[in-house]
Amino acid sequence: MDATPSFLDQMIAAGHLVPTGVDGLYGRSGMFEDVIARFEAAVTDIGKDDGAEVLRFPPAVTRKQIETSGYMKSFPQLAGTVHSFCGGDHDHALLLEKIDTGEDWTQDQVATDVALTPAACYPLYPMMAAQGALPEAGRLFDVQSYCFRHEPSTDPCRMQLFRMREYVRAGTPDQVQDFRELWIERAKSLIGQLELPFDVVPANDPFFGRAGKMMKLSQRDQGLKLEMVIPVANAQPTACLSFNYHQDHFATTWGVELADGAPAHTGCVGFGLERLALALFKHHGLDVRGWPAGVRGLLWG
Ligand code: AMP
Ligand code: ZN
């Protein structure tokens, strides 16, 4: 019998992750949060001269946005919509009775105008479209949000609610591709200095169903998504960052235009903050005080 505790068990025993009874939904320790804060500060430092517009949205988008963006077409299995009780006294009595007797009460919940954010960059596209044509230099954003994906799992790297820090570029194809190249090099340098082993590999999003198979292949073939993978809790290394080139997909969906009226191109680099923290704890130990001097210096120096 294998008595070695899993990495999730170790993170829970150390108090870094607090289980809730639902797979992929955890509390975080102060030390875990500090690692994320320090990591984010290192990222901010790298991008400090780029002039990014810093924006923070709550971890929700409008339901309309989930509909318009095509998210339900591509990733219905991951989406989270917010439902609420909208009845009167009588319905309320029935609701409580159902909860008491263990009956399903959720059928009576009504969809609100709110859905959970699937990726930190989602709120930016309709916002940009509403603000008018892009300037010659394009636009660059710094966003961070908790994101929801319905993918319950006992893999600590696969959470249902996790944070994504992103830089998002909108402009000409050249501007967006240069941005992506720059961040791939910056990420390699940062993760190398954090003494984590990594690889950058072609990837695809988990497009749903049979129709999604073609989209996965085409995304991979065209090199539209690259991921930085790091070994963490599984035999297969885990995607901890992604470098995405959307071409004009989001721009045509929402109407984001260049100064000459042509559809803009967009791209984003996404840092999976929990995965990066988990990778650091996995490789350097469960107590940050024992981490290598160089890593400590970079994060806390
Ligand atoms: P994606 O939009 O799928 O490329 O996600 C961007 C980054 O978010 C990924 O590279 C991961 O680091 C992180 N991420 C995606 N899904 C999850 C998840 N279920 N749990 C934790 N982190 C995730
Ligand atoms: Zn993004």
Side-chain angles (χ1 to χ4, degrees), residues 253-267:
T253 301
W254 291 105
V256 183
E257 294 179 347
L258 298 174
D260 66 4
H265 278 221
T266 63

Side-chain angles (χ1 to χ4, degrees), residues 37-210:
R38 303 310 307 176
F39 179 83
E40 276 211 82
V43 171
T44 302
D45 191 53
I46 293 169
K48 68 178 185 307
D49 296 327
D50 297 349
E53 300 174 53
V54 179
L55 285 172
R56 296 290 180 265
F57 289 87
V61 294
T62 65
R63 173 156 55 92
K64 177 100 192 91
Q65 191 183 341
I66 287 283
E67 292 160 5
T68 307
S69 66
Y71 198 78
M72 296 311 289
K73 195 170 155 203
S74 297
F75 311 109
Q77 78 280 23
L78 300 178
T81 49
V82 177
H83 289 62
S84 275
F85 171 73
C86 294
D89 280 340
H90 178 66
D91 308 296
H92 185 217
L94 287 175
L95 167 79
L96 295 182
E97 198 180 304
K98 284 183 177 172
I99 292 177
D100 267 353
T101 56
E103 263 179 88
D104 181 14
W105 56 276
T106 60
Q107 297 298 324
D108 303 323
Q109 294 286 98
V110 177
T112 66
D113 288 335
V114 172
L116 298 174
T117 296
C121 61
Y122 263 60
L124 292 179
Y125 308 106
M127 182 204 81
M128 271 191 271
Q131 291 175 346
L134 299 178
E136 290 286 325
R139 292 181 78 174
L140 174 68
F141 297 96
D142 161 342
V143 286
Q144 194 256 48
S145 179
Y146 257 102
C147 298
F148 174 85
R149 293 186 185 175
H150 184 238
E151 43 186 2
S153 167
T154 53
D155 174 358
C157 289
R158 194 166 293 283
M159 297 184 173
Q160 296 202 60
L161 276 154
F162 57 93
R163 274 159 293 181
M164 211 186 278
R165 170 75 181 271
E166 291 195 48
Y167 282 93
V168 185
R169 185 81 169 101
T172 63
D174 280 351
Q175 286 169 338
V176 175
Q177 286 171 44
D178 288 351
F179 156 85
R180 187 163 83 147
E181 288 308 311
L182 176 67
W183 272 105
I184 290 173
E185 291 314 310
R186 286 173 165 180
K188 284 179 177 171
S189 164
L190 174 63
I191 301 303
Q193 288 175 71
L194 289 172
E195 301 181 29
L196 296 172
F198 66 83
D199 204 357
V200 175
V201 297
N204 59 263
D205 289 311
F207 294 105
F208 184 76
R210 222 178 322 150

Side-chain angles (χ1 to χ4, degrees), residues 118-119 149 151 156-160 162-164 205-206 225 227-228 239-242 244 270-275:
R149 293 186 185 175
E151 43 186 2
C157 289
R158 194 166 293 283
M159 297 184 173
Q160 296 202 60
F162 57 93
R163 274 159 293 181
M164 211 186 278
D205 289 311
K225 187 176 189 80
E227 286 178 335
M228 177 174 277
C240 293
L241 278 89
S242 70
N244 304 289
F271 293 82
L273 297 176
E274 278 76 6
R275 286 187 181 178

